[in-house]
Each structure stands twice: as C-alpha cells, then as structure tokens.
mmCIF file of all heavy atoms in Angstrom:
data_model
loop_
_atom_site.group_PDB
_atom_site.id
_atom_site.type_symbol
_atom_site.label_atom_id
_atom_site.label_comp_id
_atom_site.label_asym_id
_atom_site.label_seq_id
_atom_site.Cartn_x
_atom_site.Cartn_y
_atom_site.Cartn_z
ATOM 1 N N ASN Z 71 12.264 9.509 -0.577
ATOM 2 C CA ASN Z 71 13.722 9.671 -0.610
ATOM 3 C C ASN Z 71 14.406 8.628 0.259
ATOM 4 O O ASN Z 71 15.527 8.191 -0.050
ATOM 5 C CB ASN Z 71 14.105 11.072 -0.157
ATOM 6 C CG ASN Z 71 13.698 12.128 -1.162
ATOM 7 O OD1 ASN Z 71 13.669 11.874 -2.366
ATOM 8 N ND2 ASN Z 71 13.369 13.313 -0.665
ATOM 9 N N ALA Z 72 13.761 8.243 1.331
ATOM 10 C CA ALA Z 72 14.333 7.204 2.189
ATOM 11 C C ALA Z 72 14.219 5.850 1.494
ATOM 12 O O ALA Z 72 13.273 5.603 0.746
ATOM 13 C CB ALA Z 72 13.618 7.174 3.534
ATOM 14 N N LYS Z 73 15.149 5.017 1.745
ATOM 15 C CA LYS Z 73 15.178 3.697 1.123
ATOM 16 C C LYS Z 73 13.951 2.881 1.514
ATOM 17 O O LYS Z 73 13.513 2.908 2.659
ATOM 18 C CB LYS Z 73 16.450 2.969 1.560
ATOM 19 C CG LYS Z 73 16.698 1.633 0.902
ATOM 20 C CD LYS Z 73 18.020 1.056 1.388
ATOM 21 C CE LYS Z 73 18.308 -0.273 0.767
ATOM 22 N NZ LYS Z 73 19.612 -0.834 1.231
ATOM 23 N N ASN Z 74 13.408 2.208 0.532
ATOM 24 C CA ASN Z 74 12.290 1.277 0.769
ATOM 25 C C ASN Z 74 11.071 1.956 1.400
ATOM 26 O O ASN Z 74 10.464 1.433 2.357
ATOM 27 C CB ASN Z 74 12.736 0.084 1.615
ATOM 28 C CG ASN Z 74 13.738 -0.796 0.887
ATOM 29 O OD1 ASN Z 74 13.828 -0.751 -0.346
ATOM 30 N ND2 ASN Z 74 14.488 -1.569 1.634
ATOM 31 N N THR Z 75 10.738 3.122 0.876
ATOM 32 C CA THR Z 75 9.494 3.793 1.260
ATOM 33 C C THR Z 75 8.670 4.042 0.009
ATOM 34 O O THR Z 75 9.212 4.260 -1.081
ATOM 35 C CB THR Z 75 9.739 5.126 1.980
ATOM 36 O OG1 THR Z 75 10.498 5.994 1.132
ATOM 37 C CG2 THR Z 75 10.500 4.922 3.283
ATOM 38 N N VAL Z 76 7.368 4.016 0.188
ATOM 39 C CA VAL Z 76 6.475 4.237 -0.942
ATOM 40 C C VAL Z 76 5.205 4.905 -0.422
ATOM 41 O O VAL Z 76 4.797 4.691 0.728
ATOM 42 C CB VAL Z 76 6.152 2.916 -1.670
ATOM 43 C CG1 VAL Z 76 5.339 1.978 -0.799
ATOM 44 C CG2 VAL Z 76 5.449 3.179 -2.999
ATOM 45 N N TYR Z 77 4.621 5.729 -1.272
ATOM 46 C CA TYR Z 77 3.429 6.482 -0.911
ATOM 47 C C TYR Z 77 2.348 6.262 -1.972
ATOM 48 O O TYR Z 77 2.640 5.942 -3.120
ATOM 49 C CB TYR Z 77 3.737 7.975 -0.822
ATOM 50 C CG TYR Z 77 4.793 8.297 0.203
ATOM 51 C CD1 TYR Z 77 6.137 8.268 -0.138
ATOM 52 C CD2 TYR Z 77 4.449 8.620 1.512
ATOM 53 C CE1 TYR Z 77 7.115 8.548 0.799
ATOM 54 C CE2 TYR Z 77 5.410 8.908 2.455
ATOM 55 C CZ TYR Z 77 6.749 8.862 2.096
ATOM 56 O OH TYR Z 77 7.711 9.140 3.029
ATOM 57 N N LEU Z 78 1.119 6.473 -1.539
ATOM 58 C CA LEU Z 78 -0.003 6.434 -2.470
ATOM 59 C C LEU Z 78 -0.881 7.646 -2.194
ATOM 60 O O LEU Z 78 -1.509 7.734 -1.139
ATOM 61 C CB LEU Z 78 -0.811 5.149 -2.309
ATOM 62 C CG LEU Z 78 -1.944 4.961 -3.320
ATOM 63 C CD1 LEU Z 78 -1.372 4.715 -4.721
ATOM 64 C CD2 LEU Z 78 -2.866 3.802 -2.914
ATOM 65 N N GLN Z 79 -0.881 8.577 -3.133
ATOM 66 C CA GLN Z 79 -1.743 9.742 -3.043
ATOM 67 C C GLN Z 79 -3.068 9.387 -3.699
ATOM 68 O O GLN Z 79 -3.094 9.050 -4.887
ATOM 69 C CB GLN Z 79 -1.109 10.944 -3.735
ATOM 70 C CG GLN Z 79 -1.976 12.193 -3.729
ATOM 71 C CD GLN Z 79 -2.189 12.746 -2.342
ATOM 72 O OE1 GLN Z 79 -1.270 12.790 -1.526
ATOM 73 N NE2 GLN Z 79 -3.416 13.180 -2.047
ATOM 74 N N MET Z 80 -4.135 9.485 -2.939
ATOM 75 C CA MET Z 80 -5.454 9.108 -3.441
ATOM 76 C C MET Z 80 -6.360 10.336 -3.453
ATOM 77 O O MET Z 80 -6.630 10.916 -2.395
ATOM 78 C CB MET Z 80 -6.063 8.012 -2.559
ATOM 79 C CG MET Z 80 -5.172 6.789 -2.408
ATOM 80 S SD MET Z 80 -5.972 5.445 -1.505
ATOM 81 C CE MET Z 80 -6.101 6.191 0.123
ATOM 82 N N ASN Z 81 -6.793 10.729 -4.631
ATOM 83 C CA ASN Z 81 -7.676 11.876 -4.801
ATOM 84 C C ASN Z 81 -9.011 11.418 -5.385
ATOM 85 O O ASN Z 81 -9.123 10.305 -5.912
ATOM 86 C CB ASN Z 81 -7.039 12.904 -5.728
ATOM 87 C CG ASN Z 81 -5.738 13.457 -5.202
ATOM 88 O OD1 ASN Z 81 -5.551 13.567 -3.986
ATOM 89 N ND2 ASN Z 81 -4.832 13.807 -6.099
ATOM 90 N N SER Z 82 -9.993 12.282 -5.269
ATOM 91 C CA SER Z 82 -11.334 11.994 -5.810
ATOM 92 C C SER Z 82 -11.821 10.621 -5.371
ATOM 93 O O SER Z 82 -12.289 9.811 -6.180
ATOM 94 C CB SER Z 82 -11.301 12.081 -7.346
ATOM 95 O OG SER Z 82 -10.876 13.346 -7.772
ATOM 96 N N LEU Z 83 -11.729 10.369 -4.105
ATOM 97 C CA LEU Z 83 -12.079 9.059 -3.582
ATOM 98 C C LEU Z 83 -13.567 8.770 -3.727
ATOM 99 O O LEU Z 83 -14.405 9.673 -3.635
ATOM 100 C CB LEU Z 83 -11.661 8.938 -2.116
ATOM 101 C CG LEU Z 83 -10.151 8.703 -1.919
ATOM 102 C CD1 LEU Z 83 -9.726 9.077 -0.517
ATOM 103 C CD2 LEU Z 83 -9.814 7.255 -2.220
ATOM 104 N N LYS Z 84 -13.851 7.492 -3.954
ATOM 105 C CA LYS Z 84 -15.219 7.025 -4.154
ATOM 106 C C LYS Z 84 -15.549 5.954 -3.115
ATOM 107 O O LYS Z 84 -14.639 5.303 -2.600
ATOM 108 C CB LYS Z 84 -15.364 6.418 -5.548
ATOM 109 C CG LYS Z 84 -14.953 7.317 -6.686
ATOM 110 C CD LYS Z 84 -15.012 6.573 -8.012
ATOM 111 C CE LYS Z 84 -14.577 7.443 -9.178
ATOM 112 N NZ LYS Z 84 -14.659 6.717 -10.477
ATOM 113 N N PRO Z 85 -16.824 5.748 -2.823
ATOM 114 C CA PRO Z 85 -17.178 4.688 -1.862
ATOM 115 C C PRO Z 85 -16.608 3.324 -2.251
ATOM 116 O O PRO Z 85 -16.236 2.536 -1.369
ATOM 117 C CB PRO Z 85 -18.710 4.693 -1.905
ATOM 118 C CG PRO Z 85 -19.064 6.104 -2.242
ATOM 119 C CD PRO Z 85 -17.995 6.553 -3.210
ATOM 120 N N GLU Z 86 -16.493 3.048 -3.536
ATOM 121 C CA GLU Z 86 -15.950 1.758 -3.979
ATOM 122 C C GLU Z 86 -14.453 1.627 -3.733
ATOM 123 O O GLU Z 86 -13.875 0.556 -3.936
ATOM 124 C CB GLU Z 86 -16.262 1.498 -5.451
ATOM 125 C CG GLU Z 86 -15.899 2.631 -6.379
ATOM 126 C CD GLU Z 86 -17.086 3.524 -6.692
ATOM 127 O OE1 GLU Z 86 -17.847 3.874 -5.765
ATOM 128 O OE2 GLU Z 86 -17.238 3.899 -7.882
ATOM 129 N N ASP Z 87 -13.803 2.684 -3.291
ATOM 130 C CA ASP Z 87 -12.393 2.600 -2.903
ATOM 131 C C ASP Z 87 -12.241 2.098 -1.466
ATOM 132 O O ASP Z 87 -11.113 1.850 -1.018
ATOM 133 C CB ASP Z 87 -11.716 3.966 -3.023
ATOM 134 C CG ASP Z 87 -11.640 4.466 -4.446
ATOM 135 O OD1 ASP Z 87 -11.329 3.654 -5.348
ATOM 136 O OD2 ASP Z 87 -11.884 5.674 -4.666
ATOM 137 N N THR Z 88 -13.345 1.954 -0.760
ATOM 138 C CA THR Z 88 -13.291 1.465 0.612
ATOM 139 C C THR Z 88 -12.709 0.062 0.651
ATOM 140 O O THR Z 88 -13.178 -0.843 -0.037
ATOM 141 C CB THR Z 88 -14.697 1.460 1.226
ATOM 142 O OG1 THR Z 88 -15.160 2.812 1.331
ATOM 143 C CG2 THR Z 88 -14.681 0.808 2.612
ATOM 144 N N ALA Z 89 -11.656 -0.108 1.453
ATOM 145 C CA ALA Z 89 -10.965 -1.393 1.539
ATOM 146 C C ALA Z 89 -9.840 -1.285 2.559
ATOM 147 O O ALA Z 89 -9.514 -0.187 3.026
ATOM 148 C CB ALA Z 89 -10.378 -1.782 0.175
ATOM 149 N N VAL Z 90 -9.248 -2.423 2.850
ATOM 150 C CA VAL Z 90 -7.988 -2.429 3.580
ATOM 151 C C VAL Z 90 -6.877 -2.372 2.528
ATOM 152 O O VAL Z 90 -6.864 -3.175 1.585
ATOM 153 C CB VAL Z 90 -7.829 -3.684 4.455
ATOM 154 C CG1 VAL Z 90 -6.461 -3.679 5.134
ATOM 155 C CG2 VAL Z 90 -8.938 -3.753 5.490
ATOM 156 N N TYR Z 91 -5.989 -1.437 2.685
ATOM 157 C CA TYR Z 91 -4.896 -1.232 1.729
ATOM 158 C C TYR Z 91 -3.606 -1.817 2.303
ATOM 159 O O TYR Z 91 -3.228 -1.509 3.449
ATOM 160 C CB TYR Z 91 -4.730 0.247 1.432
ATOM 161 C CG TYR Z 91 -5.796 0.775 0.496
ATOM 162 C CD1 TYR Z 91 -7.121 0.896 0.916
ATOM 163 C CD2 TYR Z 91 -5.493 1.130 -0.822
ATOM 164 C CE1 TYR Z 91 -8.104 1.345 0.053
ATOM 165 C CE2 TYR Z 91 -6.475 1.594 -1.682
ATOM 166 C CZ TYR Z 91 -7.775 1.692 -1.240
ATOM 167 O OH TYR Z 91 -8.758 2.145 -2.093
ATOM 168 N N TYR Z 92 -2.951 -2.621 1.492
ATOM 169 C CA TYR Z 92 -1.736 -3.316 1.896
ATOM 170 C C TYR Z 92 -0.547 -2.838 1.076
ATOM 171 O O TYR Z 92 -0.619 -2.739 -0.153
ATOM 172 C CB TYR Z 92 -1.876 -4.819 1.701
ATOM 173 C CG TYR Z 92 -2.947 -5.456 2.549
ATOM 174 C CD1 TYR Z 92 -4.249 -5.588 2.077
ATOM 175 C CD2 TYR Z 92 -2.652 -5.937 3.821
ATOM 176 C CE1 TYR Z 92 -5.233 -6.169 2.853
ATOM 177 C CE2 TYR Z 92 -3.633 -6.535 4.607
ATOM 178 C CZ TYR Z 92 -4.919 -6.649 4.115
ATOM 179 O OH TYR Z 92 -5.882 -7.233 4.885
ATOM 180 N N CYS Z 93 0.550 -2.619 1.768
ATOM 181 C CA CYS Z 93 1.805 -2.294 1.109
ATOM 182 C C CYS Z 93 2.549 -3.588 0.786
ATOM 183 O O CYS Z 93 2.520 -4.547 1.576
ATOM 184 C CB CYS Z 93 2.644 -1.415 2.032
ATOM 185 S SG CYS Z 93 4.266 -0.966 1.392
ATOM 186 N N ASN Z 94 3.217 -3.611 -0.346
ATOM 187 C CA ASN Z 94 3.977 -4.785 -0.775
ATOM 188 C C ASN Z 94 5.358 -4.355 -1.229
ATOM 189 O O ASN Z 94 5.513 -3.313 -1.883
ATOM 190 C CB ASN Z 94 3.246 -5.480 -1.924
ATOM 191 C CG ASN Z 94 4.044 -6.616 -2.521
ATOM 192 O OD1 ASN Z 94 4.662 -6.454 -3.579
ATOM 193 N ND2 ASN Z 94 4.041 -7.749 -1.862
ATOM 194 N N GLY Z 95 6.351 -5.149 -0.891
ATOM 195 C CA GLY Z 95 7.712 -4.869 -1.338
ATOM 196 C C GLY Z 95 8.422 -6.170 -1.694
ATOM 197 O O GLY Z 95 8.217 -7.199 -1.050
ATOM 198 N N ILE Z 96 9.233 -6.111 -2.741
ATOM 199 C CA ILE Z 96 9.910 -7.306 -3.241
ATOM 200 C C ILE Z 96 11.413 -7.059 -3.275
ATOM 201 O O ILE Z 96 11.874 -6.073 -3.852
ATOM 202 C CB ILE Z 96 9.410 -7.669 -4.649
ATOM 203 C CG1 ILE Z 96 7.896 -7.926 -4.634
ATOM 204 C CG2 ILE Z 96 10.139 -8.897 -5.177
ATOM 205 C CD1 ILE Z 96 7.291 -8.108 -6.001
ATOM 206 N N THR Z 97 12.160 -7.978 -2.620
ATOM 207 C CA THR Z 97 13.612 -7.988 -2.760
ATOM 208 C C THR Z 97 13.995 -9.263 -3.510
ATOM 209 O O THR Z 97 13.149 -10.082 -3.836
ATOM 210 C CB THR Z 97 14.316 -7.987 -1.400
ATOM 211 O OG1 THR Z 97 14.136 -9.267 -0.779
ATOM 212 C CG2 THR Z 97 13.761 -6.906 -0.481
ATOM 213 N N ARG Z 98 15.271 -9.449 -3.730
ATOM 214 C CA ARG Z 98 15.711 -10.653 -4.413
ATOM 215 C C ARG Z 98 15.446 -11.891 -3.564
ATOM 216 O O ARG Z 98 15.515 -13.021 -4.070
ATOM 217 C CB ARG Z 98 17.191 -10.564 -4.737
ATOM 218 C CG ARG Z 98 18.086 -10.506 -3.518
ATOM 219 C CD ARG Z 98 19.538 -10.667 -3.870
ATOM 220 N NE ARG Z 98 20.067 -9.558 -4.635
ATOM 221 C CZ ARG Z 98 21.322 -9.522 -5.077
ATOM 222 N NH1 ARG Z 98 22.117 -10.556 -4.874
ATOM 223 N NH2 ARG Z 98 21.743 -8.488 -5.751
ATOM 224 N N TYR Z 99 15.165 -11.690 -2.292
ATOM 225 C CA TYR Z 99 15.005 -12.827 -1.392
ATOM 226 C C TYR Z 99 13.581 -13.076 -0.939
ATOM 227 O O TYR Z 99 13.303 -14.088 -0.285
ATOM 228 C CB TYR Z 99 15.904 -12.649 -0.169
ATOM 229 C CG TYR Z 99 17.363 -12.664 -0.521
ATOM 230 C CD1 TYR Z 99 18.121 -11.507 -0.459
ATOM 231 C CD2 TYR Z 99 17.969 -13.834 -0.943
ATOM 232 C CE1 TYR Z 99 19.454 -11.519 -0.803
ATOM 233 C CE2 TYR Z 99 19.313 -13.858 -1.285
ATOM 234 C CZ TYR Z 99 20.049 -12.705 -1.216
ATOM 235 O OH TYR Z 99 21.365 -12.722 -1.562
ATOM 236 N N GLY Z 100 12.687 -12.172 -1.235
ATOM 237 C CA GLY Z 100 11.335 -12.420 -0.771
ATOM 238 C C GLY Z 100 10.330 -11.377 -1.183
ATOM 239 O O GLY Z 100 10.671 -10.322 -1.719
ATOM 240 N N ASN Z 101 9.082 -11.715 -0.909
ATOM 241 C CA ASN Z 101 7.931 -10.871 -1.219
ATOM 242 C C ASN Z 101 7.256 -10.576 0.115
ATOM 243 O O ASN Z 101 6.831 -11.496 0.812
ATOM 244 C CB ASN Z 101 7.000 -11.642 -2.152
ATOM 245 C CG ASN Z 101 5.861 -10.808 -2.675
ATOM 246 O OD1 ASN Z 101 5.710 -9.648 -2.312
ATOM 247 N ND2 ASN Z 101 5.048 -11.390 -3.527
ATOM 248 N N TYR Z 102 7.159 -9.298 0.468
ATOM 249 C CA TYR Z 102 6.750 -8.932 1.817
ATOM 250 C C TYR Z 102 5.499 -8.068 1.809
ATOM 251 O O TYR Z 102 5.282 -7.258 0.885
ATOM 252 C CB TYR Z 102 7.886 -8.194 2.524
ATOM 253 C CG TYR Z 102 9.158 -9.007 2.557
ATOM 254 C CD1 TYR Z 102 10.147 -8.806 1.602
ATOM 255 C CD2 TYR Z 102 9.362 -9.975 3.527
ATOM 256 C CE1 TYR Z 102 11.302 -9.556 1.616
ATOM 257 C CE2 TYR Z 102 10.531 -10.727 3.557
ATOM 258 C CZ TYR Z 102 11.490 -10.513 2.587
ATOM 259 O OH TYR Z 102 12.636 -11.269 2.607
ATOM 260 N N TRP Z 103 4.707 -8.227 2.885
ATOM 261 C CA TRP Z 103 3.443 -7.511 3.011
ATOM 262 C C TRP Z 103 3.325 -6.798 4.351
ATOM 263 O O TRP Z 103 3.836 -7.301 5.361
ATOM 264 C CB TRP Z 103 2.265 -8.479 2.899
ATOM 265 C CG TRP Z 103 2.133 -9.108 1.561
ATOM 266 C CD1 TRP Z 103 2.713 -10.269 1.139
ATOM 267 C CD2 TRP Z 103 1.389 -8.603 0.444
ATOM 268 N NE1 TRP Z 103 2.369 -10.514 -0.171
ATOM 269 C CE2 TRP Z 103 1.557 -9.513 -0.608
ATOM 270 C CE3 TRP Z 103 0.597 -7.469 0.245
ATOM 271 C CZ2 TRP Z 103 0.958 -9.325 -1.855
ATOM 272 C CZ3 TRP Z 103 0.008 -7.294 -0.986
ATOM 273 C CH2 TRP Z 103 0.190 -8.207 -2.028
ATOM 274 N N GLY Z 104 2.672 -5.651 4.334
ATOM 275 C CA GLY Z 104 2.333 -4.976 5.561
ATOM 276 C C GLY Z 104 1.053 -5.548 6.147
ATOM 277 O O GLY Z 104 0.408 -6.420 5.554
ATOM 278 N N GLN Z 105 0.660 -5.022 7.298
ATOM 279 C CA GLN Z 105 -0.528 -5.494 7.994
ATOM 280 C C GLN Z 105 -1.805 -4.863 7.443
ATOM 281 O O GLN Z 105 -2.899 -5.368 7.693
ATOM 282 C CB GLN Z 105 -0.418 -5.202 9.486
ATOM 283 C CG GLN Z 105 0.670 -6.018 10.171
ATOM 284 C CD GLN Z 105 0.399 -7.508 10.091
ATOM 285 O OE1 GLN Z 105 -0.664 -7.980 10.455
ATOM 286 N NE2 GLN Z 105 1.355 -8.265 9.571
ATOM 287 N N GLY Z 106 -1.668 -3.789 6.737
ATOM 288 C CA GLY Z 106 -2.835 -3.148 6.130
ATOM 289 C C GLY Z 106 -3.314 -1.939 6.906
ATOM 290 O O GLY Z 106 -3.138 -1.857 8.123
ATOM 291 N N THR Z 107 -3.929 -1.021 6.183
ATOM 292 C CA THR Z 107 -4.527 0.158 6.787
ATOM 293 C C THR Z 107 -5.906 0.363 6.155
ATOM 294 O O THR Z 107 -6.065 0.240 4.935
ATOM 295 C CB THR Z 107 -3.624 1.398 6.602
ATOM 296 O OG1 THR Z 107 -4.197 2.511 7.298
ATOM 297 C CG2 THR Z 107 -3.437 1.775 5.144
ATOM 298 N N GLN Z 108 -6.886 0.662 6.990
ATOM 299 C CA GLN Z 108 -8.265 0.770 6.529
ATOM 300 C C GLN Z 108 -8.518 2.131 5.905
ATOM 301 O O GLN Z 108 -8.176 3.169 6.487
ATOM 302 C CB GLN Z 108 -9.246 0.564 7.690
ATOM 303 C CG GLN Z 108 -10.700 0.722 7.331
ATOM 304 C CD GLN Z 108 -11.220 -0.391 6.445
ATOM 305 O OE1 GLN Z 108 -10.966 -1.573 6.709
ATOM 306 N NE2 GLN Z 108 -11.957 -0.030 5.396
ATOM 307 N N VAL Z 109 -9.121 2.108 4.739
ATOM 308 C CA VAL Z 109 -9.599 3.325 4.086
ATOM 309 C C VAL Z 109 -11.106 3.179 3.900
ATOM 310 O O VAL Z 109 -11.570 2.203 3.307
ATOM 311 C CB VAL Z 109 -8.919 3.547 2.721
ATOM 312 C CG1 VAL Z 109 -9.587 4.692 1.964
ATOM 313 C CG2 VAL Z 109 -7.429 3.812 2.905
ATOM 314 N N THR Z 110 -11.847 4.137 4.433
ATOM 315 C CA THR Z 110 -13.299 4.118 4.319
ATOM 316 C C THR Z 110 -13.761 5.428 3.696
ATOM 317 O O THR Z 110 -13.428 6.501 4.205
ATOM 318 C CB THR Z 110 -13.967 3.926 5.684
ATOM 319 O OG1 THR Z 110 -13.491 2.712 6.280
ATOM 320 C CG2 THR Z 110 -15.484 3.857 5.542
ATOM 321 N N VAL Z 111 -14.516 5.315 2.610
ATOM 322 C CA VAL Z 111 -15.029 6.494 1.912
ATOM 323 C C VAL Z 111 -16.544 6.499 2.078
ATOM 324 O O VAL Z 111 -17.229 5.583 1.616
ATOM 325 C CB VAL Z 111 -14.650 6.477 0.430
ATOM 326 C CG1 VAL Z 111 -15.099 7.774 -0.243
ATOM 327 C CG2 VAL Z 111 -13.142 6.291 0.265
#
C-alpha cells in the first residue's frame, strides 16, 4: 500500500532457490537496485 514497496512471497522453497535476492525499481529517470538479501534453502 505504501508507495514504491514490493514483496515476494516464496513458498515451497527448494535448495536451487538459494541465492542473493535483489530488489529492482524503475522510474522515468533511472533503474535502481538494492544491496540484496541472502536466501538459503
């Protein structure tokens, strides 16, 4: 509901889902990335 927020609900996780997950957002002026969060299955 808050502006410029996004979520990812991950169910039935598998070992192959292990990775660093990065958020991305695009405005008319640029393409932006977060620092990443580690997910380990």
Side-chain angles (χ1 to χ4, degrees):
N71 290 329
K73 185 178 180 179
N74 294 340
T75 58
V76 66
Y77 300 87
L78 185 69
Q79 178 66 41
M80 305 186 293
N81 299 329
S82 302
L83 283 160
K84 305 175 181 181
E86 51 263 44
D87 295 318
T88 295
V90 177
Y91 284 70
Y92 297 91
C93 178
N94 174 259
I96 301 172
T97 71
R98 64 170 67 182
Y99 295 109
N101 187 357
Y102 303 96
W103 294 89
Q105 292 298 307
T107 184
Q108 177 70 46
V109 171
T110 303
V111 185

